[in-house]
Amino acid sequence: MRKTLSFTAMALALVGTTAIAEPTGTFRQAHEFGFGAQSSLDPISKGRVFQITEKIMSRLVRPDMDGRPAPDLATAWSANADATEWTFSLRDGVMFHDGSSFGAEDVVYSLQRVLDPANDSPARAAIAMIDRVEAVDATTIKLTLSASFADLPLLLMDYRLRMIPEGSGDTIATTGIGTGPFRLVNFDAEGTTRLVANMDYFEGPPGVAEMEIIGIPDAQARLQALLGGQIDMERGISAQQSVMLSSSDRFNIQMIPTGNWRGLVFRTDVAPFDDVRVRQALRLAADRQAMVDLVMGGGAVVACDTPVGPRDQYRAQIDCPQDIDRARALLAEAGFPDGIDIDLHVATLEPTWPVLAEVYQQQAAAAGIRVNIVQVPTDGFWSDVWMQKDAVTTRWNERPADQALNEVYVSTARWNESYYRDADFDALLANARQELDFDARRALYIQAQEHLWQTAGTLIPYHVTRLVGTSARVGNLDAVENMSVRWHLVTVD
């Protein structure tokens, strides 16, 4: 049964905050409104607006400043000898925004909701190995897995695995009740969503009194909003745009190496991309270092079609030079001696996508790959274009190796954007998850990435060095990838 604070307890809590420095000012940020009418505050839905949920809801485990698992709502964890049972200790005394107390029953509910196939959550793939979630007592939970898995805390850092009140699944999409540093005042995906400081946040009161999250679908419009003072931060600044901002004392630029990737996706379930030789040719035609230089102004790290970030402990070191002659030969073997024609669908939702498409168009032409760039609207890109058209641009935020590989490439994954189906690859990942020896586990993850290099339908040319532009009035913004930012520390002058 849920516990709700009495009026007296709530009054005492409010009195206790009067000695704490009051938050001041309003921090304003844009979001892309990428899921259109499907946008919501349900953290496990495909339409979740993570720029909002990350500020109003907490995870069990969060990344620290180096990307390693660190306490959030869970303060400690341990596993049995074969890593099939995990026990997590929870913070005591934490309150939800509605005044109810957080406890083990909320964790059980939140995780079971993700695991329920009926909810069709894209987050389910991240924790599908969990068979049972149990409350040991009010501040302890036990997770029983279907097989050994030594890296479970890494997966619980997933930005969608937010804890919500028990029984709130039918209303969370609009109420947004969580335990995060800010609480919801109003939600307007197409307009301005307003958040206010949660003075009872377990890590202390936030630095700003309010946050406004404003729906701005187009990248150029978001830049203009930053230049015009309508927003205080834009996390998608291009190398060309950063020159404009860095020349003014009104703005600051952060350079953040990340595991975020940008790329091109070719559906492996439709011709001609269902032929592995065509897929190899498409990827061999790319000069990845030239893409880094021309698209990112040098602000990226070459990736040989692996989604695993350059700082990840399981990253494979693969060489992937451009090979036009081999690409032409593969196309001829596949029955295309005169090359192929491709319609590549591109939006300005991500500012580098059009440039990436143009650079690839020029590079691939030498291999007889004729790329027709189709400009599509930013509104509804994720619902109407991505995973719908045969060739599209894509982007993903940084994920631990196991999560990235499972969520994007496993045959049954909800967001298998290239419709990649490979039983050998699936087996490699299943074996890696069950391997308790680190070196042996690492070898399996590396083998899986090498398998992708030979067979995948996704061209991932680089991992992004993120350029974040802020107004000069913003302070204490962690220079880390988005999912690790401690939003309660941010201040504005």
Side-chain angles (χ1 to χ4, degrees), residues 104 108 112 132-137 140-144:
V108 172
Q112 285 181 340
R132 190 162 65 252
V133 186
E134 301 172 87
V136 177
D137 55 42
T140 310
I141 63 161
K142 183 172 74 172
L143 305 181
T144 303

Side-chain angles (χ1 to χ4, degrees), residues 337-472:
D338 298 322
I340 57 174
D341 295 279
I342 295 172
D343 287 337
L344 178 60
H345 296 79
V346 180
T348 59
L349 187 71
E350 164 63 42
T352 60
W353 278 346
V355 184
L356 174 61
E358 290 171 5
V359 170
Y360 181 70
Q361 180 187 54
Q362 295 167 10
Q363 293 178 351
I369 301 169
R370 296 172 292 274
V371 179
N372 174 44
I373 298 175
V374 181
Q375 296 288 342
V376 297
T378 59
D379 292 348
F381 175 84
W382 297 112
S383 57
D384 301 330
V385 179
W386 182 68
M387 292 191 71
Q388 305 300 317
K389 303 298 183 181
D390 294 350
V392 300
T393 48
T394 190
R395 70 173 184 197
W396 290 74
N397 286 322
E398 181 172 341
R399 285 157 166 74
D402 182 87
Q403 183 180 352
L405 295 167
N406 273 278
E407 189 166 344
V408 187
Y409 296 99
V410 164
S411 299
T412 56
R414 179 71 176 85
W415 294 138
N416 184 339
E417 59 185 351
S418 63
Y419 294 83
Y420 181 73
R421 305 286 189 272
D422 191 302
D424 291 338
F425 177 84
D426 292 352
L428 282 169
L429 288 191
N431 292 336
R433 283 187 159 184
Q434 297 178 43
E435 178 56 63
L436 297 181
D437 178 79
F438 174 79
D439 290 334
R441 186 165 69 249
R442 184 173 185 273
L444 288 167
Y445 281 124
I446 288 174
Q447 189 177 346
Q449 293 167 75
E450 292 171 342
H451 192 83
L452 284 181
W453 167 243
Q454 295 296 327
T455 60
T458 306
L459 168 60
I460 302 176
Y462 50 74
H463 285 90
V464 173
T465 296
R466 170 75 75 177
L467 299 178
V468 178
T470 68
S471 63

Side-chain angles (χ1 to χ4, degrees), residues 268 273-283 420 455-457:
T268 63
F273 313 129
D274 56 349
D275 190 315
V276 69
R277 295 167 297 185
V278 172
R279 301 200 296 269
Q280 289 175 345
L282 290 167
R283 294 182 289 108
Y420 181 73
T455 60

Side-chain angles (χ1 to χ4, degrees), residues 221-285:
R222 293 194 299 275
L223 175 65
Q224 292 303 317
L226 178 62
L227 293 172
Q230 284 81 47
I231 60 175
D232 296 303
M233 179 188 73
E234 171 54 26
R235 298 187 72 86
I237 298 297
S238 69
Q240 296 82 0
Q241 293 168 346
S242 70
V243 175
M244 181 191 318
L245 296 177
S246 59
S247 64
S248 170
D249 59 7
R250 294 174 50 225
F251 305 100
N252 293 317
I253 297 288
Q254 292 180 340
M255 298 184 65
I256 305 169
T258 74
N260 300 351
W261 72 90
R262 308 290 179 264
L264 309 178
V265 179
F266 306 99
R267 286 186 56 164
T268 63
D269 62 334
V270 298
F273 313 129
D274 56 349
D275 190 315
V276 69
R277 295 167 297 185
V278 172
R279 301 200 296 269
Q280 289 175 345
L282 290 167
R283 294 182 289 108
L284 286 169

